Amino acid sequence: MVIVGGGFSGAMLAARLAERGVASTVVNRTAAFGLGVAYSTPFDGHLLNVRSSRMSALADRPGHFVDWLEANHPDMADPDGFAPRRVYGLYVRDRLTVVEAAHPGQIQRIVGEVEAIEDDGVRLSDGSRIAARAVVLATGNPAPKTAEAGACERIIADPWAPGALDGIGAEDDVLIVGTGLTMVDMLLMLQGRGWRGRATALSRRGLMPRAHGERPDPPLRPTETLLTAPLSQRLKSARQLASEHGWREVMEGLRPITAELWTNADLPTRRRIVRHLRPFWDVHRHRLATVIGDAMDRLRAESRLTVVTGRVRAITADEHGVRLDWRARRGEAPALTAPWLIDCTGPGHAADADALTAPLIAAGRARLDPLRLGLDLDPLGRVLGRDGRPDPTLFVLGPPARAAFWETIAVPDIRQRIEDVAKTLSETGAGLAEAV
């Protein structure tokens, strides 16, 4: 079996398969297996957005990460704390290494780039092929695509590229498109380097991620109305419950059943969620560590972070700086200018334009989901072809599977999907991939 992508999803799937006696080959663009974008940051100011007690890589061992912290970083072993993402990356890599040692020969690592998915395996960019009985796409989140990459060095189209922020001076102002988690990460990194400038951030609704409370919030049991009523009534009920009990408690109650609610929703309901509710859901569901929420509040209080609401009309730049023309929600607005612009609009998912998935769609082996969130999948994560039938040899795991499961970004959600995919593959007897 071949796993394309060696970040958290791919690496932990390989580990779980090895423990089930299924061999796999993991292909990753770099030698940093287990890290991906999220955990490759070297900056300790980038904290997990989920408390340590919920960050076990193993669905059946909820205390695994905290136990690892106690053994390796006892000063960070608070179950209710938010560990640095760099440290979590060490944990993921350590688990992969431990499983490899316990199950020799079951996991093969290859540093390379997959150029094409074929009927019987994959082809790499160097021309070599890896034959396999099944392929899992675990490619993670792609870079943003709002700003044009390479248009000008003043436009930072991929903020996670190595050295992307190196040119920004300590006193330089910046423009940011997008006000979500990536914006927060970039501001934290700049501050960690001694940046003292100002940032103006633009998004369609001007929403920023909310923060966790000081202590874990107890889940509120969802009401029947919240689970089964038409969407407008559900939203009204959620607001009422939030006013009575707290919005965090409402979100905690929904968290374990979100994928089920999405799977059971009909297409019109899904469409309304994506069009009207998604931005509000994201900022309440995917929250910041408390200390980071406080840091963002300070930046705004000091007028070093200004959030404006509107749409991008045009981005132009030269060697001196960047001009952002935009339209406010209530009409025209003066252009924004700064020495730099950072694209923080989030993953630029476009399955029909991706070099790996576009040929699958063109050949009828895959199809887009009706809302174009990604590839259409069945409940087991298998890719659906043009005829609607699942391909038993082609799976999608992690963030690219959002179209089917909605919540496939956070570790607690991904680890359950890993269990499901590993169970399916082990039961169908997908075997060892062989390099040819």
Side-chain angles (χ1 to χ4, degrees):
M1 197 192 81
V2 170
I3 301 171
V4 183
F8 174 85
S9 299
M12 293 300 92
L13 174 62
R16 201 69 187 96
L17 286 171
E19 291 172 334
R20 284 177 165 269
V22 179
S24 64
T25 296
V26 186
V27 184
N28 199 48
R29 290 179 177 177
T30 73
F33 288 82
L35 301 185
V37 173
Y39 309 122
S40 61
T41 175
F43 177 52
D44 278 346
H46 285 157
L47 305 181
L48 294 171
N49 296 323
V50 178
R51 299 183 192 275
S52 295
S53 60
R54 291 183 173 177
M55 286 298 289
S56 170
L58 300 172
D60 58 349
R61 294 178 59 185
H64 190 255
F65 177 50
V66 175
D67 292 342
W68 183 89
L69 285 174
E70 289 177 347
N72 296 275
H73 298 273
D75 56 319
M76 300 180 184
D78 177 7
D80 296 334
F82 300 88
R85 298 208 302 254
R86 178 190 64 82
V87 172
Y88 190 77
L90 297 177
Y91 160 71
V92 175
R93 301 190 78 173
D94 185 62
R95 165 158 166 75
L96 182 62
T97 301
V98 168
V99 172
E100 286 176 318
H103 302 274
Q106 291 291 82
I107 301 174
Q108 181 183 9
R109 306 187 191 196
I110 293 181
V111 177
E113 184 164 1
V114 174
E115 188 175 72
I117 309 297
E118 301 182 335
D119 291 339
D120 57 352
V122 301
R123 184 177 73 251
L124 304 186
S125 58
D126 64 3
S128 62
R129 295 182 63 258
I130 305 174
R133 293 177 62 182
V135 175
V136 179
L137 299 177
T139 50
N141 284 321
K145 294 181 180 179
T146 298
E148 184 180 352
C152 176
E153 64 177 8
R154 295 283 178 173
I155 298 175
I156 301 172
D158 181 2
W160 290 111
L165 306 183
D166 288 354
I168 300 177
E171 306 295 335
D172 288 350
D173 291 344
V174 297
L175 300 176
I176 300 176
V177 183
T179 57
L181 294 172
T182 304
M183 178 204 73
V184 173
D185 281 342
M186 295 305 110
L187 290 175
L188 291 171
M189 188 178 294
L190 286 172
Q191 281 198 293
R193 298 179 175 194
W195 174 73
R196 299 180 295 276
R198 298 175 185 273
T200 301
L202 167 72
S203 67
R204 292 185 179 183
R205 293 177 175 82
L207 299 173
M208 288 181 56
R210 276 42 172 180
H212 286 274
E214 291 292 338
R215 307 303 299 173
D217 298 290
L220 180 68
R221 183 183 179 89
T223 64
E224 190 66 21
T225 299
L226 196 58
L227 296 178
T228 62
L231 189 59
S232 59
Q233 294 181 32
R234 293 192 200 185
L235 184 57
K236 181 179 180 181
S237 175
R239 287 170 172 163
Q240 180 64 33
L241 292 169
S243 67
E244 295 173 355
H245 303 279
W247 64 265
R248 294 186 183 91
E249 287 80 353
V250 174
M251 296 302 293
E252 287 302 304
L254 291 172
R255 182 186 58 81
I257 58 174
T258 301
E260 179 183 352
L261 291 174
W262 174 259
T263 301
N264 292 336
D266 59 22
L267 182 58
T269 299
R270 289 189 183 188
R271 182 176 286 112
R272 294 180 68 193
I273 290 172
V274 172
R275 182 171 183 178
H276 301 293
L277 188 59
R278 178 178 179 177
F280 301 93
W281 172 270
D282 285 347
V283 298
H284 289 86
R285 169 66 178 88
H286 302 290
R287 305 195 284 276
L288 304 172
T290 309
V291 65
I292 294 179
D294 293 342
M296 293 301 104
D297 289 342
R298 285 195 299 272
L299 280 177
R300 299 190 77 169
E302 296 167 358
S303 298
R304 293 187 57 210
L305 170 60
T306 300
V307 175
V308 296
T309 304
R311 294 173 178 264
V312 174
R313 297 183 63 183
I315 300 172
T316 55
D318 58 27
E319 66 271 18
H320 302 296
V322 183
R323 173 187 171 106
L324 172 60
D325 290 291
W326 62 294
R327 181 179 178 84
R329 296 191 70 179
R330 300 185 183 278
E332 298 300 319
L336 302 171
T337 60
W340 303 91
L341 182 142
I342 309 174
D343 187 348
C344 296
T345 51
H349 289 295
D352 53 347
D354 181 83
L356 282 182
T357 54
L360 298 174
I361 295 172
R365 191 176 174 189
R367 70 184 187 187
L368 290 174
D369 86 290
L371 299 180
R372 302 181 68 84
L373 294 175
L375 295 182
D376 210 2
L377 312 176
D378 77 351
L380 297 178
R382 299 178 298 184
V383 173
L384 297 178
R386 183 184 297 152
D387 58 4
R389 290 188 296 181
D391 185 335
T393 68
L394 187 58
F395 293 73
V396 176
L397 177 66
R402 185 169 193 175
F405 306 106
W406 188 249
E407 289 295 333
T408 59
I409 299 174
V411 164
D413 304 304
I414 296 175
R415 72 187 178 205
Q416 185 56 56
R417 296 297 313 134
I418 288 173
E419 288 297 316
D420 295 342
V421 172
K423 181 174 183 292
T424 300
L425 289 172
S426 61
E427 288 177 351
T428 56
L432 175 66
E434 300 176 352
V436 297

